[in-house]
Amino acid sequence: MTAPTTDPQEDIFTKKIRIGRASENDCCLQKQDEKHLVSRHHATIYIKGNEVQIEDLHSANGTYVNGIRIEQAILHPKDTVRIANKYALNMKNIFGCIPNFNTDECDDYSNEFEALKQVWDHYETHKADIIKKSQNKLQWGKTGLVSLPVFGFILLARIFKWNEWYFPFYIGLNTLLTSAAFFLLKDKKKDVLMKQLEIEFRKNYKCPRCGYQLRESWDLHHDQQNCPSCKAIWIKPVEPEF
């Protein structure tokens, strides 16, 4: 996102799109805006050649580009523009006003989706590492908790020459301590680390266009090719060669 260097009203633009609640606007949001979040004359889009600019008209609830409130900004095909941070503009329709512009660029998020593979791989690798370390820690702790009393019991049995009738107590003690180990040695650090990893993962593993939360493996979403929510292109279709 780049702020324009000049006042767009000083230039001659090939097209101007007025946005607001008032009926005279080119893009009237009166019907959608039941809570009156949009100003009567909220913003204006200026198109000059291949350049698209947007200007907020001192609206009450602002104009947002990629989540940032702006006064003026140059727009790009993959930008997300929201009026009053609620109503998203269709960038395909806006850039479609430019002669000979390939509007498929507005939907092509294949590069951004490819980067999500690293997010998925990072999550899977670190999750496996946390689980492995926790299992190792639990195993060593269980071994220590169970072995010490058992060896002590065997030593006492030899010193006092206990007969075989005492060995059922050994079996019971071993079972009791094994069960206790699973409860007493629960790895709380693992739960904290897994929760932190899950929060970071969910924050970053989203559709790069609309923020739709992805939940399946990257390969499975790769096979879907498009976002089920906004229909953004994740994987470009292969062009057949003749």
Side-chain angles (χ1 to χ4, degrees), residues 1 109 114 144 163 204:
M1 183 182 70
Y109 283 79
E114 182 68 27
N163 58 33
N204 298 320

PDB file of all heavy atoms in Angstrom, residues 1 109 114 144 163 204:
ATOM      1  N   MET A   1       0.843  -1.179   0.000  1.00  0.00           N
ATOM      2  CA  MET A   1       0.000   0.000   0.000  1.00  0.00           C
ATOM      3  C   MET A   1       0.878   1.229   0.000  1.00  0.00           C
ATOM      4  O   MET A   1       1.729   1.379   0.864  1.00  0.00           O
ATOM      5  CB  MET A   1      -0.916  -0.006   1.218  1.00  0.00           C
ATOM      6  CG  MET A   1      -1.890   1.150   1.262  1.00  0.00           C
ATOM      7  SD  MET A   1      -2.900   1.082   2.771  1.00  0.00           S
ATOM      8  CE  MET A   1      -1.647   1.473   3.981  1.00  0.00           C
ATOM      9  N   TYR A 109      -4.032 -16.046  -5.998  1.00  0.00           N
ATOM     10  CA  TYR A 109      -3.272 -16.030  -4.741  1.00  0.00           C
ATOM     11  C   TYR A 109      -2.410 -17.285  -4.639  1.00  0.00           C
ATOM     12  O   TYR A 109      -2.160 -17.789  -3.547  1.00  0.00           O
ATOM     13  CB  TYR A 109      -4.233 -15.937  -3.547  1.00  0.00           C
ATOM     14  CG  TYR A 109      -4.784 -14.543  -3.351  1.00  0.00           C
ATOM     15  CD1 TYR A 109      -5.817 -14.070  -4.148  1.00  0.00           C
ATOM     16  CD2 TYR A 109      -4.259 -13.687  -2.389  1.00  0.00           C
ATOM     17  CE1 TYR A 109      -6.320 -12.795  -3.986  1.00  0.00           C
ATOM     18  CE2 TYR A 109      -4.755 -12.411  -2.215  1.00  0.00           C
ATOM     19  CZ  TYR A 109      -5.785 -11.967  -3.024  1.00  0.00           C
ATOM     20  OH  TYR A 109      -6.273 -10.697  -2.868  1.00  0.00           O
ATOM     21  N   GLU A 114       1.152 -20.895  -1.697  1.00  0.00           N
ATOM     22  CA  GLU A 114       2.344 -21.733  -1.681  1.00  0.00           C
ATOM     23  C   GLU A 114       3.152 -21.492  -0.400  1.00  0.00           C
ATOM     24  O   GLU A 114       3.729 -22.426   0.177  1.00  0.00           O
ATOM     25  CB  GLU A 114       3.207 -21.439  -2.907  1.00  0.00           C
ATOM     26  CG  GLU A 114       4.460 -22.289  -3.029  1.00  0.00           C
ATOM     27  CD  GLU A 114       4.181 -23.755  -3.303  1.00  0.00           C
ATOM     28  OE1 GLU A 114       3.133 -24.051  -3.895  1.00  0.00           O
ATOM     29  OE2 GLU A 114       5.010 -24.601  -2.909  1.00  0.00           O
ATOM     30  N   GLY A 144      11.702 -43.942  36.963  1.00  0.00           N
ATOM     31  CA  GLY A 144      12.262 -43.603  38.273  1.00  0.00           C
ATOM     32  C   GLY A 144      11.261 -43.776  39.399  1.00  0.00           C
ATOM     33  O   GLY A 144      11.578 -44.301  40.472  1.00  0.00           O
ATOM     34  N   ASN A 163       8.836 -64.736  52.398  1.00  0.00           N
ATOM     35  CA  ASN A 163       8.581 -65.842  51.492  1.00  0.00           C
ATOM     36  C   ASN A 163       7.762 -65.381  50.287  1.00  0.00           C
ATOM     37  O   ASN A 163       7.410 -64.203  50.150  1.00  0.00           O
ATOM     38  CB  ASN A 163       7.877 -67.000  52.228  1.00  0.00           C
ATOM     39  CG  ASN A 163       6.548 -66.528  52.844  1.00  0.00           C
ATOM     40  OD1 ASN A 163       5.888 -65.663  52.280  1.00  0.00           O
ATOM     41  ND2 ASN A 163       6.179 -67.117  53.987  1.00  0.00           N
ATOM     42  N   ASN A 204      -1.826 -17.855  11.454  1.00  0.00           N
ATOM     43  CA  ASN A 204      -1.140 -17.728  10.164  1.00  0.00           C
ATOM     44  C   ASN A 204      -1.688 -18.633   9.071  1.00  0.00           C
ATOM     45  O   ASN A 204      -1.439 -18.387   7.891  1.00  0.00           O
ATOM     46  CB  ASN A 204       0.357 -18.036  10.350  1.00  0.00           C
ATOM     47  CG  ASN A 204       1.033 -17.057  11.284  1.00  0.00           C
ATOM     48  OD1 ASN A 204       0.759 -15.868  11.244  1.00  0.00           O
ATOM     49  ND2 ASN A 204       1.910 -17.555  12.135  1.00  0.00           N
TER      50      ASN A 204
END
